């Protein structure tokens, strides 16, 4: 519809420079520049390298998005930008760019929460989000369960990671197995040829005593350590490491914990929709397991296509569009870049 807001979103929280443009729930452009190859030789993201890459990529990525959407900056109704959480220097690049474009074009700016944007992006795939819904966000820095009553006004955190996030564990285990960075896609690929029941790796925070205190929280540090000890024991014995079996068994342990807790959260809160977002949501086993188990309880699972699961500007634009349509006031031009922005703050 012509009266739906045309919103531009800027994402620079980590190693992806993203600019997306949406009209309502329709995606018009999703331009992305990744610096992942610059970080691969370090085995992880280097904040200073990420910030410099954003500085170099932000203007050409913006120009590409506008061309792809067939609009000009003057046509835009509002600009949304990830204000946090994320890497401080990387966030500053995006926030400064958003302020500059907003001032130049005399447009309102919305500083938004990166994690809430991972929830909002699903609306570009499946339409308006049923409320309430349970959202599970799984990425390199976060593993969170949220109760989403009103995305424009706030979300209620139910649980989060207390040590390694799921994506971080994927990266570390991939390194143990000699697989490239980022580890998620390579673990997923190797696991398809392996036996998920070959090795009984632990399921963190699922024992009765842990559930009493951490029912919806996640812990993958112990799992990562268990994999490392298993691999080291094989190597000391001079035996070959069955990479596919290790990958499949590790992946099964992660997905089992994530899905079990997410389904429990849906059932306990009487919610019939589970939204899964974040980079790990692109994992094929997580998607299949969630859909299979949720169907047994009449719960609908919504997961965006893999390209929209990883960090991108489209998700920021989607949340910005939701905020504009809900009548939320724009941010002040002195909005900060907050690396520790809490989940309860959807817009700054």
């Amino acid at each position: 519809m012509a009266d739906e807001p045309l919103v531009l979103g800027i994402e620079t929280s980590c190693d992806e420079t993203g600019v997306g443009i949406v009209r309502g729930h329709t995606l018009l452009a999703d331009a992305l520049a990744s610096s992942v190859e610059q970080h691969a030789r370090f085995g992880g993201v280097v904040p200073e390298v990420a910030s410099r890459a954003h500085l170099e990529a932000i203007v050409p990525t913006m120009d590409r998005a506008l061309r792809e959407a067939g609009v000009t900056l003057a046509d835009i109704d509002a600009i949304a930008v990830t204000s946090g959480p994320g890497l401080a220097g990387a966030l500053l690049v995006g926030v400064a760019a958003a302020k500059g474009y907003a001032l130049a074009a005399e447009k309102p700016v919305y500083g938004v929460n990166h994690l809430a944007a991972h929830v909002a992006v699903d609306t570009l795939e499946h339409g308006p989000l049923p409320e309430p819904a349970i959202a599970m966000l799984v990425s390199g820095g976060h593993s969170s369960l949220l109760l989403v009553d009103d995305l424009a006004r706030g979300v209620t955190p139910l649980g989060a990671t207390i040590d390694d996030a799921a994506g971080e564990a994927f990266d570390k285990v991939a390194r143990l197995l000699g697989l490239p960075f980022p580890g998620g896609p390579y673990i997923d690929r190797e696991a398809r040829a392996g036996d998920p029941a070959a090795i009984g790796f632990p399921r963190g925070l699922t024992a009765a005593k842990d559930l009493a205190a951490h029912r919806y929280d996640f812990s993958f540090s112990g799992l990562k350590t268990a994999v490392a000890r298993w691999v080291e024991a094989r190597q000391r014995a001079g035996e070959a490491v069955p990479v596919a079996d290790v990958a499949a068994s590790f992946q099964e342990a992660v997905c089992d914990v994530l899905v079990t807790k997410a389904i429990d959260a849906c059932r306990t809160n009487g919610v019939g929709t589970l939204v899964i977002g974040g980079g790990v949501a692109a994992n094929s086993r997580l998607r299949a397991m969630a859909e299979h188990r949720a169907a047994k309880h009449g719960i609908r699972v919504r997961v965006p296509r893999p390209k929209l699961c990883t960090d991108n500007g489209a998700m920021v634009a989607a949340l910005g569009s939701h905020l504009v349509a809900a009548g939320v006031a724009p941010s002040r031009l002195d909005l900060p870049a907050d690396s520790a922005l809490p989940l309860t703050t959807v817009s700054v």
Side-chain angles (χ1 to χ4, degrees), residues 117-253:
H118 272 303
V119 179
V121 75
D122 184 72
T123 63
L124 303 179
E125 193 93 56
H126 301 114
L129 184 70
E131 294 174 340
I134 294 293
M136 180 169 67
L137 304 180
V138 278
S139 67
H142 304 277
S143 298
S144 306
L145 275 173
L146 318 172
L147 175 62
V148 184
D149 282 315
D150 182 350
L151 185 57
R153 307 296 172 185
V155 298
T156 303
L158 300 177
T161 186
I162 63 173
D163 43 53
D164 287 0
E168 182 181 0
F170 270 92
D171 289 339
K172 290 178 177 178
V173 168
R175 191 184 312 169
L176 281 169
L177 297 176
L179 300 175
F181 174 85
Y186 296 97
I187 292 281
D188 194 353
R189 193 173 307 156
E190 288 288 338
R192 292 170 193 168
D195 178 4
I199 309 161
F201 288 131
R203 272 65 168 160
L205 297 184
T206 57
K209 62 180 179 62
D210 294 322
L211 289 173
H214 297 285
R215 183 171 183 176
Y216 299 127
D217 291 326
F218 301 100
S219 169
F220 297 108
S221 179
L223 170 60
K224 173 204 67 182
T225 301
V227 175
R229 287 176 176 168
W230 195 94
V231 169
E232 288 163 3
R234 294 281 294 212
Q235 292 171 335
R236 281 197 303 270
E239 300 175 6
V241 175
V243 173
D245 284 347
V246 175
S249 299
F250 160 76
Q251 178 176 267
E252 193 75 4

Side-chain angles (χ1 to χ4, degrees), residues 271-336:
V271 174
T273 301
L274 170 63
V275 179
I276 306 177
V280 181
N283 181 270
S284 63
R285 181 56 180 149
L286 178 61
R287 289 168 170 255
M289 184 186 291
E291 290 173 1
H292 176 71
R293 293 189 185 177
K296 295 179 181 179
H297 302 287
I299 298 168
R300 182 188 177 195
V301 175
R302 294 176 34 148
V303 192
R305 59 185 179 271
K307 186 180 178 183
L308 293 180
C309 290
T310 51
D311 294 348
N312 58 78
M315 70 186 204
V316 180
L319 181 54
S321 177
H322 187 76
L323 295 173
V324 172
V328 174
S331 304
R332 292 162 48 101
L333 271 176
D334 61 353
L335 74 108

